[in-house]
Amino acid sequence: MKKLITFLFAFLFILAPVWGQRGKTPDLDKRLQISIRTLTTNKNLEMQKTLRQETDINLLKVISWQEFLRLNEKAKERLLASTRLEAKALELQLKENPNMVLPQIEYKNSVPDYSHAFTHKYIFISENISHDTKSAPQEVINILKAARNARPNAKILLAQEFLSWTGESKDSLLKKPGQNSELYSSYPEVTQAADKLKIDQLALDDIIYMAYEKNIAVKNGKYIVWVTPQDKLPLLKYKGCDALYTRWASAYQFIGISPFGVLERNYQWARRIKAAEPHYDLILVYAGSGHLNNTYSNDLPTLLKCKDFAHIALFPTDPIDQAVEKDYETRFLKGEQYAITNDQQQNQEETRLQEQATRGTTFKQSLDQTKEEETHQSRENWKNKKLPLWFSLTKEEILQANPNYKTPNALKNYIDAHCTYKIILAEPRIEQEQKPEVCPAPKTMPIGPKHKSYI
């Protein structure tokens, strides 16, 4: 901060004589315009450089499956430490604010009003349950339309987990409206809607099928995890795919959902978004809820150091295909069995610590009341199933309900978010035809100074 202040004062000192001559020097405006254009060009070049580095596989570090497992154990410890820090902060806050309550929540069965969200720089849109529902992407399209209507002249960016780099070095991670691209979209309807609304899109994730003979490799953030046939890799079933693709896809899934994988992916997403940030007035980030919880050290809002954002949490209720549900269950069980994930332990620890911190408090009572009201609303009073149930909660409303609130920098999900939406979605308003899964041909591992020993 001191360096920034010093720089600003120096900048003002340099420009002071120029400002004093405004109107006296005919070429002044031209020089200022050139300076602005140069600054913009430099920022653009810096962004392009960062994004190009993100797609340069030769800059990645290759690690073995055993090294991945070792790093994953460290990430598990970090995740549990983060959970304990949150619980401790909550406990301290409730001691300082013994009468802390959540404001009265009013669920509405109507088209959500997102106008408050668009007053913030960042909007995080989290998708719960699974990534296979139809209602979630349809609501994201509604959010994009509302954003463009609210900010007709704004430069808007949609950064999403569901737009992925496929390993084509010629392809940019940043997609301009109407621009042809080899980026892979899990939700093509969202990508098409963004194009029509003149919204730029940024690919956050990677999906690159890399294999060499019997070995496979998975890109995860700044790492390539190299897996040999001798490694004890849990396998999932992929109908109609050969053994090599099945091994790669299984490794891709388990690495991606591991604590190490999620953290490294979040670091990658933060780098890409930060590179693009100066060029946009409004940034929407669409991803799974596991990336956007705003915990102490692991999630994207924290890594981006966001202070001005809204959070829109989508909760789809449309039925999940039984085969898809079985796949998720199998992945969960095998992840726990092979000690890659620790969801069960993490959830139990989180529940225990939260119960311990909130037991007997007015905050717990108000939280339980909110949950009861939500259950009642969703089962009894959901009259128009074509529209969602939703509520919004702003920072101002929380502080109004707690006028004596001290140190409003904890309870991150309620205070720091400034504005939180919860949207319970019914079945989709527009049906999309399910596309059959295609097993792609593998890409050979790139030959470079850091990869020759693995080829």
Side-chain angles (χ1 to χ4, degrees):
M1 181 58 74
K2 289 182 179 179
K3 289 183 178 179
L4 178 61
I5 293 171
T6 304
F7 171 77
L8 288 174
F9 272 112
F11 187 67
L12 291 172
F13 179 78
I14 292 168
L15 287 186
V18 178
W19 284 336
Q21 296 176 33
R22 279 186 66 84
K24 297 179 183 179
T25 308
D27 295 331
L28 175 61
D29 288 340
K30 287 185 179 179
R31 293 206 303 271
L32 287 175
Q33 288 172 10
I34 291 171
S35 297
I36 292 170
R37 284 199 299 269
T38 302
L39 183 61
T40 303
T41 302
N42 289 341
K43 284 184 178 180
N44 186 57
L45 290 173
E46 186 177 341
M47 176 183 71
Q48 295 298 336
K49 179 182 177 183
T50 301
L51 296 183
R52 278 197 303 271
Q53 288 175 342
E54 286 290 314
T55 59
D56 188 346
I57 292 183
N58 286 303
L59 296 177
L60 304 180
K61 180 179 180 181
V62 179
I63 60 174
S64 66
W65 177 255
Q66 290 75 21
E67 180 67 5
F68 155 70
L69 293 176
R70 188 185 70 79
L71 293 171
N72 194 45
E73 288 302 314
K74 284 190 172 183
K76 287 182 188 179
E77 294 172 6
R78 175 185 174 127
L79 194 57
L80 285 171
S82 176
T83 299
R84 296 185 187 106
L85 283 171
E86 290 169 51
K88 190 64 179 177
L90 179 58
E91 183 180 358
L92 292 172
Q93 284 299 307
L94 293 177
K95 282 182 179 178
E96 293 179 0
N97 303 277
N99 299 315
M100 173 74 182
V101 296
L102 282 173
Q104 187 67 37
I105 300 298
E106 179 186 356
Y107 278 87
K108 302 167 188 175
N109 185 196
S110 61
V111 175
D113 178 8
Y114 293 115
S115 56
H116 197 292
F118 303 130
T119 63
H120 302 289
K121 170 80 173 184
Y122 275 94
I123 300 173
F124 295 103
I125 307 168
S126 65
E127 177 180 288
N128 286 266
I129 302 178
S130 78
H131 297 329
D132 300 283
T133 64
K134 297 184 178 74
S135 58
Q138 287 301 322
E139 190 58 36
V140 171
I141 292 172
N142 295 331
I143 294 170
L144 295 180
K145 290 177 179 177
R148 180 49 77 199
N149 288 334
R151 307 280 294 273
N153 301 316
K155 293 180 180 179
I156 303 177
L157 177 69
L158 172 64
Q160 52 172 324
E161 172 183 359
F162 313 107
L163 191 64
S164 304
W165 181 54
T166 60
E168 297 293 335
S169 58
K170 62 184 178 181
D171 215 36
S172 172
L173 296 172
L174 187 64
K175 183 186 182 305
K176 296 288 185 177
Q179 182 183 59
N180 291 329
S181 172
E182 291 297 322
L183 297 174
Y184 173 76
S185 177
S186 303
Y187 295 140
E189 63 271 38
V190 173
T191 300
Q192 292 162 11
D195 273 350
K196 290 178 182 178
L197 294 164
K198 306 298 180 186
I199 293 174
D200 290 0
Q201 298 176 74
L202 181 65
L204 295 181
D205 229 356
D206 306 309
I207 180 167
I208 312 167
Y209 180 16
M210 294 184 290
Y212 184 76
E213 294 182 350
K214 295 182 180 180
N215 302 311
I216 52 97
V218 175
K219 180 184 182 303
N220 190 82
K222 284 191 170 183
Y223 294 87
I224 287 180
V225 184
W226 183 255
V227 189
T228 70
Q230 289 73 40
D231 294 321
K232 293 181 180 179
L233 172 68
L235 296 177
L236 302 170
K237 291 182 180 179
Y238 291 89
K239 189 176 180 180
C241 300
D242 62 25
L244 193 62
Y245 177 81
T246 297
R247 288 180 61 241
W248 173 84
S250 298
Y252 176 82
Q253 285 288 325
F254 287 113
I255 291 169
I257 65 170
S258 67
F260 170 77
V262 171
L263 180 59
E264 290 302 321
R265 287 162 70 201
N266 284 351
Y267 276 134
Q268 170 179 288
W269 299 2
R271 289 193 301 270
R272 294 179 181 183
I273 293 170
K274 274 295 183 185
E277 183 183 62
H279 301 273
Y280 295 93
D281 307 309
L282 179 64
I283 298 176
L284 297 96
V285 181
Y286 178 29
S289 58
H291 298 275
L292 302 179
N293 287 329
N294 197 31
T295 58
Y296 265 80
S297 59
N298 297 296
D299 293 321
L300 195 55
T302 306
L303 296 178
L304 286 170
K305 298 180 180 179
C306 284
K307 297 298 181 185
D308 180 23
F309 68 92
H311 182 196
I312 301 174
L314 303 179
F315 292 85
T317 61
D318 35 337
I320 302 175
D321 182 90
Q322 287 187 349
V324 172
E325 193 169 11
K326 182 66 176 176
D327 288 343
Y328 272 86
E329 182 181 347
T330 301
R331 190 178 71 172
F332 168 77
L333 291 174
K334 288 199 172 186
E336 297 284 308
Q337 178 187 348
Y338 281 77
I340 294 171
T341 58
N342 63 342
D343 293 347
Q344 194 169 13
Q345 179 189 2
Q346 177 69 28
N347 292 337
Q348 289 175 349
E349 183 75 352
E350 189 172 350
T351 300
R352 183 184 70 81
L353 290 171
Q354 189 176 57
E355 283 288 335
Q356 180 179 306
T358 61
R359 190 179 296 120
T361 64
T362 54
F363 176 76
K364 179 69 162 60
Q365 294 168 5
S366 67
L367 190 63
D368 290 343
Q369 185 179 355
T370 299
K371 290 178 180 177
E372 288 176 13
E373 180 64 19
E374 177 185 314
T375 303
H376 178 71
Q377 286 272 3
S378 60
R379 292 181 180 177
E380 306 292 336
N381 296 343
W382 200 340
K383 296 179 181 178
N384 186 354
K385 284 283 188 175
K386 292 183 179 180
L387 296 173
L389 283 176
W390 68 281
F391 72 80
S392 64
L393 189 60
T394 66
K395 176 181 177 180
E396 292 75 21
E397 288 171 331
I398 294 172
L399 296 179
Q400 187 177 3
N402 301 276
N404 298 319
Y405 188 82
K406 298 177 183 178
T407 59
N409 61 342
L411 295 178
K412 287 180 175 293
N413 289 333
Y414 297 105
I415 300 298
D416 282 359
H418 296 280
C419 181
T420 300
Y421 287 79
K422 184 169 185 177
I423 317 292
I424 305 174
L425 301 167
E427 294 185 28
R429 281 166 258 178
I430 301 174
E431 290 290 334
Q432 296 289 326
E433 184 179 349
Q434 190 73 23
K435 294 184 178 179
E437 186 172 357
V438 178
C439 300
K443 297 179 185 294
T444 57
M445 283 287 288
I447 297 176
K450 294 186 180 180
H451 302 93
K452 286 181 179 178
S453 60
Y454 293 90
I455 298 301

PDB file of all heavy atoms in Angstrom, residues 355-369:
ATOM      1  N   GLU A 355     -21.832 -26.779  15.051  1.00  0.00           N
ATOM      2  CA  GLU A 355     -22.759 -27.042  16.159  1.00  0.00           C
ATOM      3  C   GLU A 355     -22.156 -26.571  17.477  1.00  0.00           C
ATOM      4  O   GLU A 355     -22.831 -25.968  18.309  1.00  0.00           O
ATOM      5  CB  GLU A 355     -23.079 -28.545  16.232  1.00  0.00           C
ATOM      6  CG  GLU A 355     -24.056 -29.034  15.187  1.00  0.00           C
ATOM      7  CD  GLU A 355     -25.469 -28.561  15.462  1.00  0.00           C
ATOM      8  OE1 GLU A 355     -25.783 -28.277  16.641  1.00  0.00           O
ATOM      9  OE2 GLU A 355     -26.251 -28.452  14.505  1.00  0.00           O
ATOM     10  N   GLN A 356     -20.873 -26.850  17.662  1.00  0.00           N
ATOM     11  CA  GLN A 356     -20.179 -26.461  18.887  1.00  0.00           C
ATOM     12  C   GLN A 356     -20.131 -24.944  19.037  1.00  0.00           C
ATOM     13  O   GLN A 356     -20.330 -24.398  20.130  1.00  0.00           O
ATOM     14  CB  GLN A 356     -18.760 -27.027  18.856  1.00  0.00           C
ATOM     15  CG  GLN A 356     -17.914 -26.708  20.079  1.00  0.00           C
ATOM     16  CD  GLN A 356     -16.525 -27.327  19.962  1.00  0.00           C
ATOM     17  OE1 GLN A 356     -16.385 -28.539  19.746  1.00  0.00           O
ATOM     18  NE2 GLN A 356     -15.494 -26.514  20.079  1.00  0.00           N
ATOM     19  N   ALA A 357     -19.893 -24.236  17.937  1.00  0.00           N
ATOM     20  CA  ALA A 357     -19.758 -22.777  17.987  1.00  0.00           C
ATOM     21  C   ALA A 357     -21.092 -22.070  18.173  1.00  0.00           C
ATOM     22  O   ALA A 357     -21.157 -21.000  18.780  1.00  0.00           O
ATOM     23  CB  ALA A 357     -19.086 -22.277  16.713  1.00  0.00           C
ATOM     24  N   THR A 358     -22.182 -22.666  17.651  1.00  0.00           N
ATOM     25  CA  THR A 358     -23.478 -21.951  17.653  1.00  0.00           C
ATOM     26  C   THR A 358     -24.470 -22.480  18.680  1.00  0.00           C
ATOM     27  O   THR A 358     -25.547 -21.898  18.828  1.00  0.00           O
ATOM     28  CB  THR A 358     -24.125 -22.060  16.254  1.00  0.00           C
ATOM     29  OG1 THR A 358     -24.361 -23.446  15.936  1.00  0.00           O
ATOM     30  CG2 THR A 358     -23.238 -21.455  15.193  1.00  0.00           C
ATOM     31  N   ARG A 359     -24.122 -23.559  19.394  1.00  0.00           N
ATOM     32  CA  ARG A 359     -25.073 -24.193  20.308  1.00  0.00           C
ATOM     33  C   ARG A 359     -25.625 -23.197  21.340  1.00  0.00           C
ATOM     34  O   ARG A 359     -24.879 -22.482  22.003  1.00  0.00           O
ATOM     35  CB  ARG A 359     -24.401 -25.366  21.031  1.00  0.00           C
ATOM     36  CG  ARG A 359     -25.369 -26.237  21.831  1.00  0.00           C
ATOM     37  CD  ARG A 359     -24.657 -27.401  22.497  1.00  0.00           C
ATOM     38  NE  ARG A 359     -24.101 -28.309  21.495  1.00  0.00           N
ATOM     39  CZ  ARG A 359     -22.814 -28.595  21.381  1.00  0.00           C
ATOM     40  NH1 ARG A 359     -21.928 -28.023  22.188  1.00  0.00           N
ATOM     41  NH2 ARG A 359     -22.393 -29.431  20.461  1.00  0.00           N
ATOM     42  N   GLY A 360     -26.948 -23.127  21.418  1.00  0.00           N
ATOM     43  CA  GLY A 360     -27.599 -22.280  22.414  1.00  0.00           C
ATOM     44  C   GLY A 360     -27.646 -20.800  22.082  1.00  0.00           C
ATOM     45  O   GLY A 360     -28.076 -19.993  22.910  1.00  0.00           O
ATOM     46  N   THR A 361     -27.237 -20.406  20.899  1.00  0.00           N
ATOM     47  CA  THR A 361     -27.197 -18.980  20.537  1.00  0.00           C
ATOM     48  C   THR A 361     -28.456 -18.579  19.773  1.00  0.00           C
ATOM     49  O   THR A 361     -29.153 -19.411  19.179  1.00  0.00           O
ATOM     50  CB  THR A 361     -25.976 -18.674  19.648  1.00  0.00           C
ATOM     51  OG1 THR A 361     -26.109 -19.387  18.408  1.00  0.00           O
ATOM     52  CG2 THR A 361     -24.690 -19.098  20.327  1.00  0.00           C
ATOM     53  N   THR A 362     -28.744 -17.282  19.789  1.00  0.00           N
ATOM     54  CA  THR A 362     -29.875 -16.762  19.016  1.00  0.00           C
ATOM     55  C   THR A 362     -29.609 -16.900  17.515  1.00  0.00           C
ATOM     56  O   THR A 362     -30.540 -17.029  16.724  1.00  0.00           O
ATOM     57  CB  THR A 362     -30.141 -15.286  19.358  1.00  0.00           C
ATOM     58  OG1 THR A 362     -28.913 -14.549  19.172  1.00  0.00           O
ATOM     59  CG2 THR A 362     -30.609 -15.130  20.784  1.00  0.00           C
ATOM     60  N   PHE A 363     -28.341 -16.873  17.152  1.00  0.00           N
ATOM     61  CA  PHE A 363     -27.990 -17.056  15.746  1.00  0.00           C
ATOM     62  C   PHE A 363     -28.411 -18.446  15.264  1.00  0.00           C
ATOM     63  O   PHE A 363     -28.969 -18.605  14.184  1.00  0.00           O
ATOM     64  CB  PHE A 363     -26.478 -16.883  15.555  1.00  0.00           C
ATOM     65  CG  PHE A 363     -26.004 -17.145  14.146  1.00  0.00           C
ATOM     66  CD1 PHE A 363     -26.212 -16.213  13.148  1.00  0.00           C
ATOM     67  CD2 PHE A 363     -25.366 -18.332  13.827  1.00  0.00           C
ATOM     68  CE1 PHE A 363     -25.783 -16.447  11.853  1.00  0.00           C
ATOM     69  CE2 PHE A 363     -24.935 -18.581  12.529  1.00  0.00           C
ATOM     70  CZ  PHE A 363     -25.151 -17.639  11.539  1.00  0.00           C
ATOM     71  N   LYS A 364     -28.163 -19.481  16.101  1.00  0.00           N
ATOM     72  CA  LYS A 364     -28.558 -20.850  15.756  1.00  0.00           C
ATOM     73  C   LYS A 364     -30.072 -20.948  15.624  1.00  0.00           C
ATOM     74  O   LYS A 364     -30.595 -21.590  14.692  1.00  0.00           O
ATOM     75  CB  LYS A 364     -28.064 -21.816  16.833  1.00  0.00           C
ATOM     76  CG  LYS A 364     -28.437 -23.275  16.610  1.00  0.00           C
ATOM     77  CD  LYS A 364     -27.690 -23.857  15.428  1.00  0.00           C
ATOM     78  CE  LYS A 364     -27.702 -25.389  15.436  1.00  0.00           C
ATOM     79  NZ  LYS A 364     -29.049 -25.976  15.381  1.00  0.00           N
ATOM     80  N   GLN A 365     -30.797 -20.294  16.527  1.00  0.00           N
ATOM     81  CA  GLN A 365     -32.261 -20.323  16.469  1.00  0.00           C
ATOM     82  C   GLN A 365     -32.783 -19.689  15.186  1.00  0.00           C
ATOM     83  O   GLN A 365     -33.680 -20.217  14.530  1.00  0.00           O
ATOM     84  CB  GLN A 365     -32.836 -19.599  17.693  1.00  0.00           C
ATOM     85  CG  GLN A 365     -32.552 -20.300  19.011  1.00  0.00           C
ATOM     86  CD  GLN A 365     -32.873 -19.437  20.220  1.00  0.00           C
ATOM     87  OE1 GLN A 365     -33.407 -18.336  20.070  1.00  0.00           O
ATOM     88  NE2 GLN A 365     -32.545 -19.920  21.404  1.00  0.00           N
ATOM     89  N   SER A 366     -32.200 -18.552  14.819  1.00  0.00           N
ATOM     90  CA  SER A 366     -32.640 -17.876  13.597  1.00  0.00           C
ATOM     91  C   SER A 366     -32.258 -18.672  12.357  1.00  0.00           C
ATOM     92  O   SER A 366     -32.985 -18.689  11.357  1.00  0.00           O
ATOM     93  CB  SER A 366     -32.059 -16.461  13.528  1.00  0.00           C
ATOM     94  OG  SER A 366     -30.650 -16.490  13.370  1.00  0.00           O
ATOM     95  N   LEU A 367     -31.111 -19.380  12.421  1.00  0.00           N
ATOM     96  CA  LEU A 367     -30.670 -20.212  11.303  1.00  0.00           C
ATOM     97  C   LEU A 367     -31.616 -21.399  11.128  1.00  0.00           C
ATOM     98  O   LEU A 367     -32.022 -21.732  10.000  1.00  0.00           O
ATOM     99  CB  LEU A 367     -29.247 -20.705  11.567  1.00  0.00           C
ATOM    100  CG  LEU A 367     -28.517 -21.399  10.421  1.00  0.00           C
ATOM    101  CD1 LEU A 367     -28.318 -20.444   9.253  1.00  0.00           C
ATOM    102  CD2 LEU A 367     -27.159 -21.916  10.888  1.00  0.00           C
ATOM    103  N   ASP A 368     -31.983 -22.036  12.239  1.00  0.00           N
ATOM    104  CA  ASP A 368     -32.923 -23.160  12.174  1.00  0.00           C
ATOM    105  C   ASP A 368     -34.283 -22.714  11.658  1.00  0.00           C
ATOM    106  O   ASP A 368     -34.932 -23.426  10.889  1.00  0.00           O
ATOM    107  CB  ASP A 368     -33.074 -23.804  13.558  1.00  0.00           C
ATOM    108  CG  ASP A 368     -31.823 -24.554  13.989  1.00  0.00           C
ATOM    109  OD1 ASP A 368     -30.988 -24.856  13.118  1.00  0.00           O
ATOM    110  OD2 ASP A 368     -31.679 -24.815  15.198  1.00  0.00           O
ATOM    111  N   GLN A 369     -34.710 -21.543  12.101  1.00  0.00           N
ATOM    112  CA  GLN A 369     -36.008 -21.007  11.654  1.00  0.00           C
ATOM    113  C   GLN A 369     -35.999 -20.771  10.137  1.00  0.00           C
ATOM    114  O   GLN A 369     -36.968 -21.052   9.443  1.00  0.00           O
ATOM    115  CB  GLN A 369     -36.317 -19.703  12.380  1.00  0.00           C
ATOM    116  CG  GLN A 369     -37.697 -19.146  12.061  1.00  0.00           C
ATOM    117  CD  GLN A 369     -37.988 -17.861  12.818  1.00  0.00           C
ATOM    118  OE1 GLN A 369     -37.188 -17.434  13.651  1.00  0.00           O
ATOM    119  NE2 GLN A 369     -39.120 -17.247  12.543  1.00  0.00           N
TER     120      GLN A 369
END
